[in-house]
Amino acid sequence: MTTELRTESIPAPLIVEALKDAFRWERPEGRPATSPLGWVLTVPDTHQRSVLRLLTDDPDIRLLTCSTEDEANAIAAGLSIGGEPVLMLIQHAGLYASVNTLRGVAMDGRVPSFYLIGLLGRQPGQELSDSRSSMVRYAEPLLETFGVPYARLENADDLPRIAEYYRLSREQMGPTAVLVGLETGE
Amino acid sequence: MTMTPEDVVRVVAEMQGEGIVVPTMTTVPAWRTTAPEAASVACVGFMGGASSLGLGLALAEPGRRIVVLDGDGSLLMQLGSLATVAGAAPKNYTHVVMANGVYHTSGSQGIPAGDRIDFEGLARSAGYAHAETIDNLEDFRIRWPELLTREGPVMVQLITGEAELTPMTAPGGKPFAQQVAELREKLQGA
Ligand SMILES: Cc1ncc(C[n+]2csc(CCOP(=O)(O)OP(=O)(O)O)c2C)c(N)n1
Ligand SMILES: [Mg+2]
């Protein structure tokens, strides 16, 4: 029996709220006057550009654009060592580009590292393994090889996965990921 | 007289204060023995990451000076981090590059353009607040207090000779995860 995949584009404001929920969980006492609610480190992801657009102007979030995803991983480690809530918003290609740092920092360093990964090129309703795009096909096998717990964001019902997997990265002291199935909406 | 990474580490350790040091490659063994109790975390196991690890610490801890002791080959691997650091503009960030012209730790192979590359110029073009080059220990001693306190991001390219020890000839030290855990405890612990 095959179950129908209900995939839909999730509006960016809902995703931004979910990120803030994750940050608020980590620092329930509220932020110090000098700090944002949390940091989003990114190498821009085409798939999640509507989210990035919102984050750019959001006073609660510090959005830092990095030259590479390797940098994002190491910057996230420094922020997290200093107690700052932080996550990475990247594209599947960025995951492939930075696996050595994911391994060296998030895994070997036992650094809580949460990734929101856009699956650019993913067809609605289609299983990732059936995708014509190698970038889409290899995301889950790669995460499984590295033992990185992940969930998929296929529709708005999955939004709680963001705070859940963020929390899991903090509890397990390592990497976790949420894969964004379809391009985020306005 | 030519500086060695060990000379540099001694000066940095003497004046560390409340700062946090992020060594990598040939400064790692020297740092470990010179300043074993100091607030620091070494970039080991992810070559090229020292500048970014230091940036994250600088953004989280604006009241402390962050000193990154980078390798020239390592910085080349993540050269874009110069722009990321410049863009984030941490005032409390001092980036020291050990310009020895070689990948000493992996067997002293020459780095690309090792005879002409200029990290001071690269940092300045990227948008660091200040960049300079020092080629002897006497000048480094004199200049270091200012490089530690002036508004960053600051880059100092040090023309150095090779170290006595490398992470290959002097292996050991605490695993990265333990260093991370200890620094976290130091910074966030009650
Ligand atoms: C991704 C990656 N590629 C290659 C290596 C092999 N490697 C280990 S140490 C090193 C040289 C480091 O050179 P540099 O940063 O200039 O530091 P130095 O040893 O000269 O102080 C290299 C290439 C590595 N560790 N990681
Ligand atoms: Mg070198």
Side-chain angles (χ1 to χ4, degrees):
Chain A
M1 195 193 83
T2 54
T3 41
E4 182 90 350
L5 271 178
R6 186 167 70 84
T7 57
E8 67 188 29
S9 170
I10 302 174
L14 298 183
I15 294 185
V16 170
E17 254 335 289
L19 304 184
K20 290 185 184 177
D21 283 347
F23 289 153
R24 288 195 192 99
W25 165 80
E26 190 167 23
R27 203 151 54 186
E29 75 281 13
R31 61 179 144 148
T34 52
S35 293
L37 209 51
W39 297 75
V40 175
L41 309 181
T42 190
V43 177
D45 171 26
T46 329
H47 210 54
Q48 302 180 76
R49 62 188 180 281
S50 61
V51 174
L52 287 171
R53 200 175 309 121
L54 282 188
L55 292 176
T56 307
D57 300 319
D58 193 318
D60 291 337
I61 302 285
R62 282 282 296 273
L63 180 69
L64 179 64
T65 302
C66 309
S67 304
T68 68
E69 291 81 4
D70 286 309
E71 292 168 15
N73 274 278
I75 296 168
L79 283 164
S80 131
I81 292 170
E84 292 288 301
V86 55
L87 61 83
M88 287 166 268
L89 191 161
I90 62 173
Q91 191 162 309
H92 44 20
L95 171 69
Y96 305 133
S98 60
V99 279
N100 186 51
T101 313
L102 183 152
R103 178 205 53 74
V105 175
M107 296 170 67
D108 288 4
R110 308 213 61 212
V111 173
S113 303
F114 175 77
Y115 308 85
L116 200 56
I117 302 172
L119 299 175
L120 180 70
R122 193 277 178 90
Q123 298 295 315
Q126 192 182 44
E127 257 312 328
L128 305 193
S129 51
D130 296 335
S131 176
R132 294 215 324 268
S133 160
S134 60
M135 297 232 223
V136 173
R137 272 200 319 277
Y138 287 119
E140 290 185 330
L142 179 85
L143 293 170
E144 280 159 25
T145 298
F146 279 78
V148 178
Y150 66 87
R152 277 200 222 159
L153 214 56
E154 295 286 31
N155 54 61
D157 292 347
D158 295 333
L159 279 163
R161 298 290 93 75
I162 292 181
E164 198 179 302
Y165 276 72
Y166 184 88
R167 208 156 54 224
L168 188 64
S169 71
R170 270 60 194 168
E171 285 161 6
Q172 295 193 346
M173 307 293 276
T176 66
V178 163
L179 302 171
V180 181
L182 293 187
E183 188 172 295
T184 55
E186 295 302 323
Chain B
M1 209 187 76
T2 327
M3 274 180 286
T4 66
E6 284 85 356
D7 294 328
V8 174
V9 158
R10 270 190 293 275
V11 174
V12 172
E14 274 167 30
M15 301 187 204
Q16 184 179 3
E18 291 297 297
I20 304 170
V21 176
V22 183
T24 194
M25 298 298 170
T26 48
T27 51
V28 170
W31 184 261
R32 179 167 81 223
T33 50
T34 309
E37 302 300 330
S40 78
V41 58
C43 168
V44 288
F46 50 109
M47 178 173 168
S51 53
S52 295
L53 182 58
L55 173 58
L57 288 166
L59 296 173
E61 297 285 333
R64 295 173 185 258
R65 195 71 178 191
I66 308 300
V67 175
V68 174
L69 301 176
D70 217 344
D72 47 5
S74 292
L75 180 54
L76 281 181
M77 190 170 272
Q78 291 291 322
L79 197 57
S81 69
L82 290 179
T84 308
V85 168
K91 292 182 166 61
N92 55 331
Y93 187 92
T94 301
H95 193 169
V96 181
V97 178
M98 305 288 161
N100 59 8
V102 293
Y103 296 107
H104 185 190
T105 301
S106 56
S108 295
Q109 307 86 352
I111 65 167
D115 59 343
R116 71 204 84 160
I117 194 161
D118 169 19
F119 292 96
E120 174 192 336
L122 288 166
R124 185 173 298 118
S125 317
Y128 274 50
H130 174 77
E132 67 180 69
T133 299
I134 299 174
D135 67 1
N136 68 85
L137 186 59
E138 293 68 31
D139 287 349
F140 179 59
R141 275 190 175 287
I142 293 165
R143 295 287 303 138
W144 186 239
E146 192 198 324
L147 294 167
L148 258 188
T149 47
R150 73 178 291 162
E151 193 162 296
V154 167
M155 147 79 66
V156 53
Q157 167 174 247
L158 299 181
I159 310 299
T160 72
E162 292 191 9
E164 288 155 41
L165 301 172
T166 78
M168 297 309 292
T169 63
K174 292 172 185 165
F176 180 58
Q178 189 182 342
Q179 297 188 43
V180 166
E182 288 181 5
L183 183 57
R184 184 183 281 123
E185 177 65 30
K186 237 176 218 156
L187 298 180
Q188 295 184 50

